[in-house]
Amino acid sequence: MRIQQLEYLEKIAATGSINEAAKQLFISQPSLSQSMKELEKEYQIQLFYRSKAGITLTDAGREFMNYSRGVLDQVNLLNQHFGQGTIRKRVFSVSAQHYAFVVHAFVDLVKQIGGDTYQFTLRETQTENVLDDIQTLKSELGVIYINAFNKTVMKRLITEKDLEFTPLFDVQPHVFVGRDNPLTAKSHITLADLKDYPYLSYEQGDTNSFYFSEEILSTLPHKKHILISDRATIFNLMVGLNGYTISSGIISSELNDEKIVAIPLDVDDTITLGYLRHKKIELSATAQLYLEMLKQHIRGYGFEVQ
């Protein structure tokens, strides 16, 4: 086994493609494939499932990857301490539904430990993608919500994918609207108050399951409904069209438009926000630090971390 092979393995797992990994590593695809076959032969395991859709790690591959990252981290420490060889980029990735506190913590992480060489990834993405990213190790951590409606389905999927969900904090549902929306005159909002306003929700791809919705009460009918793919657009439509969405109530004046207001929604429901990790993978020091920063921001909004 060579250190270079472990670096190749990490790149393949990150890209999900032998061809793309070869391009980024500046080697030929046959050379990369042969190197991985030699690694599999040496340890008598199958590291990947290979299909037309790409490359995914097997269960044995995920476990091997866990040890491999530990070895690469130790090599990196040696290079930093003794000044020999190329210092490995610090690598970290998190996938999440669309939450400001996730971005806040990510910004702090990069500022604190990024240094001169790093490759960090923040994926604000569809709910199913968050689960898949953690399962396939594209990300170490994922941030999603669970409530009474989606709990059974989400927990089944989490178990099937060998993941673990850890609650962070509970919030009551809030309606997000533009500051000039007439609804801002109310201290609380009912569902009846919302019927004439455009409902904004994040699209969930081809699956489009109600259980994957980032907004509670996703099965309710709406006269006006606009699907959005990103957080900047949803805020623009709140202001431009007097649209609304339902979320946690956390708004960041540092990262989000200050024209947005959160108003409590009168429904009997609780949103539990938490993080996902893979059961078989130990979290890296970077992931653990990110979690601490995430918790700090949550406490900063006045919530008690579970």
Side-chain angles (χ1 to χ4, degrees), residues 12-152:
I12 293 170
T15 60
S17 165
I18 290 281
N19 288 332
E20 182 59 31
K23 289 178 183 177
Q24 294 186 21
L25 291 165
F26 301 104
I27 62 174
S28 69
Q29 185 270 333
S31 296
L32 181 56
S33 295
Q34 182 60 35
S35 181
M36 291 299 97
K37 287 178 182 178
E38 291 172 358
L39 193 61
E40 290 178 318
K41 183 178 180 180
E42 179 177 353
Y43 288 95
Q44 297 183 346
I45 60 173
Q46 181 181 351
L47 293 171
F48 305 106
Y49 292 121
R50 297 168 173 86
S51 68
K52 292 181 180 179
I55 296 288
T56 57
L57 289 169
T58 63
D59 286 344
R62 293 190 188 99
E63 186 176 4
F64 189 92
M65 186 81 176
N66 186 33
Y67 287 101
S68 171
R69 280 176 171 164
V71 172
L72 290 174
D73 285 342
Q74 292 301 313
V75 171
N76 198 49
L77 287 174
L78 283 171
N79 289 336
Q80 288 178 323
H81 185 74
F82 293 103
Q84 295 178 358
T86 302
I87 295 176
R88 174 173 169 256
K89 283 184 179 180
R90 190 184 291 270
V91 177
F92 174 68
S93 179
V94 58
S95 297
Q97 294 172 326
H98 301 75
Y99 301 116
F101 63 90
V102 171
V103 181
H104 264 277
F106 188 84
V107 169
D108 285 352
L109 181 75
V110 176
K111 286 181 177 179
Q112 180 168 325
I113 67 169
D116 295 328
T117 305
Y118 61 85
Q119 182 175 311
F120 289 173
T121 305
L122 171 60
R123 297 184 180 92
E124 282 194 327
T125 187
Q126 297 163 356
T127 303
E128 187 176 24
N129 290 344
V130 177
L131 276 71
D132 289 344
D133 285 352
I134 310 304
Q135 181 188 27
T136 59
L137 303 185
K138 285 186 178 179
S139 291
E140 275 195 80
L141 293 172
V143 180
I144 63 170
Y145 88 90
I146 287 178
N147 72 337
F149 174 73
N150 70 6
K151 183 177 181 178
T152 300

Side-chain angles (χ1 to χ4, degrees), residues 255-290:
L255 296 177
N256 296 333
D257 198 319
E258 293 184 351
K259 296 179 180 179
I260 305 303
V261 176
I263 308 170
L265 178 63
D266 282 336
V267 292
D268 184 18
D269 202 346
T270 300
I271 300 171
T272 299
L273 286 132
Y275 68 89
L276 292 168
R277 56 171 293 180
H278 200 289
K279 279 184 178 180
K280 296 183 179 180
I281 303 299
E282 292 295 326
L283 291 180
S284 66
T286 302
Q288 293 176 40
L289 178 59
Y290 177 77

Side-chain angles (χ1 to χ4, degrees), residues 4 27 31 78 125 142 170 172 198 210 212 219-220 243 271-272 293:
Q4 189 179 56
I27 62 174
S31 296
L78 283 171
T125 187
D170 294 333
Q172 298 305 308
F210 289 124
F212 287 155
T219 58
L220 293 180
I271 300 171
T272 299
M293 292 179 168

